[in-house]
Amino acid sequence: MSTPGIPSVDPRLVAQLSGDFSALGQQMRHVGENLAVLQAQLASVPRPQAQAQPQPQPVPQPMYRPPVAQTAPAPPPAPAVPYRPAPAPQPRVVREPWWQRDGMISRVLAVAGVAVTLIGVVMLLVLAAQAGFFGPELRVVAGGLFSAGLVVAGARVFGRPGGRVGGIALAATGIAGAYLDVVAVAVVYHWLLPVLAMVVALGIAGAGVALAVRWGSQPLALLVVTGAAVLAPVLTDGITLTLIGFLFVIQVASFPAQLGRDWLYLAIARTCPVVIALLIAIANTGLDDRPERFWLLASAVLVALVGLVSSIILLRSNSRDVTATAMIVTTAVPMLVIGHLFDRLGSTLIALALAAAMFAAFAVARSLPNHARIALAGVGTLALLKACLIGSSEDLAPLVLLGVAALFLTVGGQAESRIAYAVGAVFTVVGGLAFVITAPPFVLVDEYSALDALGVTTVLSSLVLAGTVFLFVWYAHTLKLLSTADAQPWWVLAGLVILYAVTTATVSAGTALTGTSAGFIAGHCAATIAWMAAATAALVFGLARRDYAHTALGVGLGLTAAALAKLFLFDLATLDGLFRVLAFLVVGLLLLLAGTRYAREFAEREAGRETPNGSVSAGSAER
């Protein structure tokens, strides 16, 4: 019985209101957490000092939740996403034109000023003399004083703010002018012997290089070297031995500036002028100019020697100096081309001397980088190849080339030097081509050509070719230039070349011993037997080595077909009498031997498979 006057309360409404209050409390707490994160982010942003710092806002506390049951759980709040400012756009780099860059206009004007002033000095020394202006003493003294004044002015300007470019230009002009003044004293006025003048010029160039080192300026050294080298031919009236001597002085005097410095352009500027002058002089000199060609040879030797020694010194301190390696090759070019001014013996000796120097440097300087060792070996190879081709007759050239190839292949294989092996490979290819030119295939099949062209030298060349080709593939495999799988085709190719060499050797031996058609026929009989013997050996080798079975079987069957084709198509028509009978008998016996050997091998394999325990037969196990 209900109490009168008290209204009834709906429990579902109470539960719904309780759930709403609970959800509202969770939402307010989530808002408070987000406000705290935002406040921390705002505090990390730098503000100006004049601006007042905002007072921290209190974090709202979560509302009180009455312990009442709720009908359904509220959804979890979304995670707060941290504030990430957008990345600032990268500024666009605008490249200025070269004429607007810092100091470019001043450098261009300075270089132009150096060139024009040096031309004026040359005109003072030469054109004024031709026109009769002033006296010789006054012209020379005026040139010297003017050059000294430029150097002094350059030193004073260099020490002032912004005076580096002007100081370098003035000093370079003065030093180059003094150098040209000395050249004029020796060449134009003949007041000094050229040798003494070169000593004075060496001192002037050395002083200029020392000043460039002190100022740390490669442009100063470049301007001195280039200006003197370009304008000196005007004073010497073209390319002469005296000019080559003064350019050689520049090459020597400029070298100390490169020690400990990466001045690559100076290496090119000090080397190329004297090399170019030498090449022009060699091209303009004939065989009749006997004294001059010997002076040119001496100059070429000195230039190559200085280039080799200086480059090795530079490479020991900086192994990445590719320019020094290039200078080794550049300075050796005159030695490679000067041989045409001498007879056959002289040209051969010059090439041999250059090859000996390069290979000696290759063997001694083991600490040089690979690019320098390759350059040394390359120049030595060219020189030695030239010596072999010029110093040997046409029939002797293959023997000499292949002998050198065998020597380098052996050295490369024993010393594990791929560079030496590469030199031997070059001589192998060239020697092989020379052998084919000396003993082409059509000579081997023509009786009269064989009697005329083949002899003892061809026999020796054939034997050396066979041994060289074997060393070529053997050491390529030893030095891991060829893998086991890749070596099989090369062995097949080497076997064919060796077979051609053996055929040439047998035919050449027959013609050399008898000098008649009987020797030619006997040689071909021996060649056919050799072909069939090689085929039999390949087939037997394939039975002994399972990993080479397919290759050996293909080679053996191919050689067998070739031997039979030669026997029936060529020997049957060419050979006569006992030689024909001998060829057929020996080839037939070898065929029977190969067939019998294969039949026994397969029979033993079948017997081995039929044993109860699955083991092979005794005959197979012995092999």
Side-chain angles (χ1 to χ4, degrees):
M1 179 175 176
S2 63
T3 305
I6 299 176
S8 61
V9 179
D10 189 357
R12 291 178 300 176
L13 180 59
V14 173
Q16 182 177 357
L17 290 174
S18 176
D20 290 341
F21 274 104
S22 177
L24 184 59
Q26 291 182 359
Q27 187 66 24
M28 293 300 294
R29 184 176 59 182
H30 176 61
V31 172
E33 293 175 354
N34 288 342
L35 286 175
V37 172
L38 181 60
Q39 181 181 3
Q41 293 176 353
L42 291 175
S44 62
V45 177
R47 300 293 183 88
Q49 296 182 358
Q51 184 178 356
Q53 296 294 333
Q55 296 296 327
Q57 299 294 330
V59 180
Q61 299 295 327
M63 295 183 64
Y64 171 74
R65 293 180 295 175
V68 293
Q70 54 183 12
T71 57
V81 180
Y83 172 74
R84 294 180 181 178
Q90 295 293 334
R92 183 180 178 182
V93 179
V94 180
R95 299 188 62 181
E96 295 180 352
W98 65 270
W99 62 84
Q100 294 182 2
R101 297 176 188 172
D102 184 23
M104 185 58 65
I105 297 297
S106 60
R107 292 188 181 95
V108 173
L109 293 177
V111 172
V114 172
V116 173
T117 307
L118 288 178
I119 292 174
V121 172
V122 173
M123 293 175 65
L124 173 66
L125 297 172
V126 178
L127 299 182
Q130 295 176 356
F133 296 154
F134 315 112
E137 297 83 358
L138 183 59
R139 287 190 292 268
V140 172
V141 172
L145 292 177
F146 181 68
S147 299
L150 289 175
V151 175
V152 173
R156 293 177 63 88
V157 172
F158 185 84
R160 297 176 181 177
R164 180 178 178 83
V165 175
I168 290 174
L170 290 172
T173 307
I175 296 170
Y179 193 93
L180 295 174
D181 197 28
V182 174
V183 175
V185 168
V187 178
V188 179
Y189 305 113
H190 306 286
W191 293 350
L192 280 178
L193 292 176
V195 177
L196 296 178
M198 290 176 190
V199 174
V200 177
L202 179 63
I204 294 175
V209 170
L211 184 61
V213 171
R214 181 179 179 183
W215 289 358
S217 173
Q218 182 179 197
L220 175 58
L222 283 175
L223 290 173
V224 172
V225 170
T226 307
V230 171
L231 293 177
V234 179
L235 297 173
T236 58
D237 196 18
I239 306 298
T240 61
L241 288 172
T242 305
L243 173 66
I244 294 174
F246 279 105
L247 295 179
F248 175 71
V249 167
I250 292 177
Q251 181 191 16
V252 174
S254 304
F255 167 66
Q258 291 188 258
L259 296 175
R261 296 168 189 84
D262 198 14
W263 288 4
L264 306 180
Y265 296 109
L266 180 60
I268 299 173
R270 74 180 183 87
T271 304
C272 290
V274 65
V275 172
I276 294 173
L278 264 175
L279 294 177
I280 295 175
I282 292 172
N284 294 332
T285 304
L287 294 175
D288 298 332
D289 302 327
R290 188 175 183 84
E292 186 173 356
R293 60 178 181 171
F294 284 102
W295 282 110
L296 286 176
L297 176 60
S299 302
V301 171
L302 290 176
V303 169
L305 183 61
V306 171
L308 177 62
V309 174
S310 61
S311 296
I312 290 177
I313 294 174
L314 294 175
L315 286 167
R316 285 183 178 274
S317 59
N318 184 11
S319 60
R320 296 176 296 178
D321 191 356
V322 183
T323 306
T325 299
M327 293 304 104
I328 294 177
V329 181
T330 304
T331 53
V333 172
M335 287 287 292
L336 289 173
V337 301
I338 202 174
H340 77 278
L341 299 180
F342 299 88
D343 57 5
R344 183 175 181 177
L345 178 60
S347 180
T348 303
L349 292 177
I350 292 171
L352 284 176
L354 178 61
M358 292 297 167
F359 285 121
F362 175 85
V364 173
R366 295 180 177 272
S367 60
L368 293 180
N370 282 333
H371 55 82
R373 293 174 61 82
I374 291 173
L376 291 172
V379 175
T381 301
L382 290 177
L384 186 57
L385 190 61
K386 180 181 178 182
C388 293
L389 294 176
I390 294 177
S392 305
S393 59
E394 183 179 355
D395 57 340
L396 195 61
L399 179 60
V400 175
L401 291 171
L402 292 171
V404 174
L407 175 63
F408 275 98
L409 289 174
T410 304
V411 171
Q414 295 298 323
E416 297 183 354
S417 173
R418 294 189 176 186
I419 299 178
Y421 174 84
V423 175
V426 171
F427 276 92
T428 301
V429 174
V430 178
L433 293 176
F435 180 84
V436 173
I437 294 174
T438 304
F442 70 86
V443 172
L444 300 180
V445 298
D446 184 70
E447 179 181 344
Y448 299 101
S449 299
L451 291 174
D452 183 59
L454 303 180
V456 178
T457 306
T458 314
V459 177
L460 297 177
S461 300
S462 302
L463 297 178
V464 176
L465 175 62
T468 303
V469 171
F470 176 81
L471 293 176
F472 177 78
V473 182
W474 174 263
Y475 283 122
H477 197 188
T478 304
L479 295 174
K480 298 181 180 180
L481 298 174
L482 293 175
S483 62
T484 304
D486 296 334
Q488 295 189 20
W490 285 95
W491 278 118
V492 173
L493 181 61
L496 295 177
V497 176
I498 292 173
L499 193 62
Y500 180 81
V502 171
T503 303
T504 306
T506 56
V507 177
S508 300
T511 57
L513 291 175
T514 63
T516 60
S517 60
F520 177 77
I521 294 172
H524 270 287
C525 176
T528 303
I529 295 173
W531 285 27
M532 193 60 220
T536 305
L539 293 173
V540 173
F541 179 77
L543 292 176
R545 294 289 299 272
R546 298 292 181 86
D547 49 345
Y548 289 94
H550 295 287
T551 303
L553 178 62
V555 172
L557 293 179
L559 287 178
T560 302
L564 293 177
K566 182 178 184 298
L567 183 66
F568 285 98
L569 298 178
F570 181 80
D571 295 346
L572 190 61
T574 304
L575 305 184
D576 57 359
L578 184 61
F579 293 109
R580 182 187 300 173
V581 174
L582 181 62
F584 272 83
L585 286 178
V586 174
V587 170
L589 290 176
L590 290 176
L591 284 172
L592 291 175
L593 175 63
T596 303
R597 184 68 181 82
Y598 256 81
R600 190 179 67 179
E601 178 69 21
F602 282 105
E604 291 175 352
R605 291 181 184 178
E606 290 294 332
R609 282 197 293 266
E610 292 176 358
T611 55
N613 56 0
S615 61
V616 297
S617 63
S620 299
E622 290 177 359
R623 286 185 301 277

